[in-house]
């Protein structure tokens, strides 16, 4: 387990390292050089060394890194060796897309319960995932020991739902609504605004196009 606090940027790169190490392990590779690792994950080797230094000296000079040891280590660090159940709040268009997707590339994380108010959905099972009435949320979060939730409800009720999630003891919220919800410091929120991302992309394309045209 990670004892020290690691920088956020390092924490964000961990899944990248982990995924590649798993790939190498499945391909029967025992060790990997830092150069190879750097090339594969597209992170420069100085950054990789710095990242890894937060976890103690894991590599050996002239040998590189032991794939299995490193993989197991990251697996523990990322909590991938235990199943993480995730709740889906709002089973509309986006919610159902995420249910269908259900994070299949990652065997240890999955949506295990959906919540909605739509009577047509309640009591049904989608992709193996039961959909409950929103009023059962706090109880189910507790029963299923769910710490993480995905928020895909209409913006108008995003804050109300975030409050309920906090009440249910959730520690992390992946917020797909455009609203910036207020939660206590102990709860982490990651905002994923797909519309915004797309608009920003389009803006950049147009902006750089104009700059090119001026030249
Ligand atoms: P989206 O693509 O954003 O999911 P949508 O058109 O499918 O859009 P929305 O109106 O955004 O649907 O609602 C998303 C889901 O949230 C719907 O399934 C809706 O029934 C559900 N929902 C609405 N109000 C509540 C509520 N108070 N509690 C729980 N779920 C709700």
């Amino acid at each position: 387990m990670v004892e020290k606090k690691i920088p956020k940027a390092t924490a964000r790169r961990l899944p990248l390292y982990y995924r590649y190490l798993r790939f190498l392990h499945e391909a029967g590779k025992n060790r990997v050089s830092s150069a190879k690792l750097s090339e594969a994950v597209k992170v420069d080797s100085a950054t990789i060394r710095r990242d890894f230094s937060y976890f103690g000296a894991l590599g050996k000079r002239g040998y590189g890194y032991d794939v299995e040891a490193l993989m197991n280590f990251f697996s523990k660090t990322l909590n991938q060796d235990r199943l993480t159940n995730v709740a889906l709040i709002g089973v509309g268009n986006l919610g159902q897309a995420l249910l269908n997707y259900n994070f299949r590339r990652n065997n240890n994380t999955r949506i295990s319960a959906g919540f909605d108010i739509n009577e047509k959905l309640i009591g049904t099972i989608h992709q193996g995932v039961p959909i409950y009435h929103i009023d059962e949320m706090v109880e189910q979060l507790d029963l299923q020991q769910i710490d993480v939730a995905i928020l895909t409800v209409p913006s108008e009720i995003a804050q109300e739902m975030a409050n309920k999630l906090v009440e249910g003891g959730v520690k992390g919220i992946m917020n797909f609504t455009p609203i910036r919800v207020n939660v206590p410091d102990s709860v982490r929120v990651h905002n994923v605004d797909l519309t915004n991302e797309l608009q920003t992309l389009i803006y950049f394309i147009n902006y750089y196009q104009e700059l090119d045209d001026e030249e």
Side-chain angles (χ1 to χ4, degrees):
M1 283 285 107
V2 187
E3 305 281 329
K4 284 182 284 185
K5 253 193 132 164
I6 56 165
K8 275 185 205 147
T10 300
R12 285 206 192 96
R13 284 188 287 270
L14 288 190
L16 213 66
Y17 298 142
Y18 176 65
R19 206 177 303 146
Y20 183 62
L21 287 162
R22 247 182 54 180
F23 166 78
L24 288 176
H25 184 65
E26 276 160 23
K29 300 270 187 288
N30 296 323
R31 58 176 169 156
V32 60
S33 68
S34 51
K36 183 91 191 285
L37 187 60
S38 163
E39 194 193 307
V41 296
K42 301 276 178 288
V43 175
D44 66 275
S45 40
T47 306
I48 294 184
R49 267 195 301 278
R50 193 163 17 92
D51 283 350
F52 286 12
S53 73
Y54 292 108
F55 311 107
L58 292 162
K60 285 192 211 97
R61 213 167 257 288
Y63 176 86
Y65 297 99
D66 184 297
V67 168
E68 192 170 7
L70 205 52
M71 187 188 73
N72 289 341
F73 180 81
F74 283 137
S75 161
K76 283 217 181 66
T77 309
L78 286 164
N79 263 338
Q80 296 295 321
D81 54 347
R82 70 178 175 93
L83 188 69
T84 303
N85 286 331
V86 177
L88 178 74
I89 320 302
V91 193
N93 284 313
L94 187 55
Q96 287 187 27
L98 292 171
L99 261 186
N100 291 334
Y101 179 62
N102 212 350
F103 307 90
R104 260 165 289 169
R105 268 191 304 159
N106 186 333
N107 299 329
N108 299 303
T109 309
R110 57 163 200 143
I111 297 170
S112 63
F115 299 92
D116 210 292
I117 42 158
N118 184 341
E119 292 296 340
K120 286 201 190 101
L121 292 170
I122 295 158
T124 63
I125 292 177
H126 279 248
Q127 303 287 326
V129 179
I131 316 296
Y132 302 90
H133 192 281
I134 197 74
D135 289 349
E136 288 181 59
M137 186 175 87
V138 173
E139 189 191 346
Q140 284 298 330
L141 291 176
D142 184 41
L143 276 175
Q144 300 190 33
Q145 299 187 313
I146 297 177
D147 289 338
V148 181
I150 297 174
L151 202 52
T152 43
V153 290
S155 331
E156 309 85 74
I157 54 157
Q159 184 60 56
E160 187 193 326
M161 289 302 130
N163 296 346
K164 252 178 176 283
L165 287 168
V166 171
E167 188 193 328
V170 153
K171 299 196 186 93
I173 300 173
M174 197 163 168
N175 175 24
F176 279 90
T177 80
I179 301 296
R180 294 289 177 265
V181 292
N182 292 314
V183 293
D185 288 344
S186 55
V187 177
R188 258 198 102 80
V189 179
H190 280 202
N191 297 304
V192 187
D193 188 331
L194 294 177
T195 311
N196 225 346
E197 290 293 319
L198 196 58
Q199 267 170 350
T200 311
L201 173 68
I202 292 165
Y203 169 78
F204 273 103
I205 292 172
N206 294 339
Y207 179 73
Y208 284 108
Q209 183 71 47
E210 275 163 31
L211 283 186
D212 287 346
D213 290 347
E214 279 167 21
E215 279 170 5

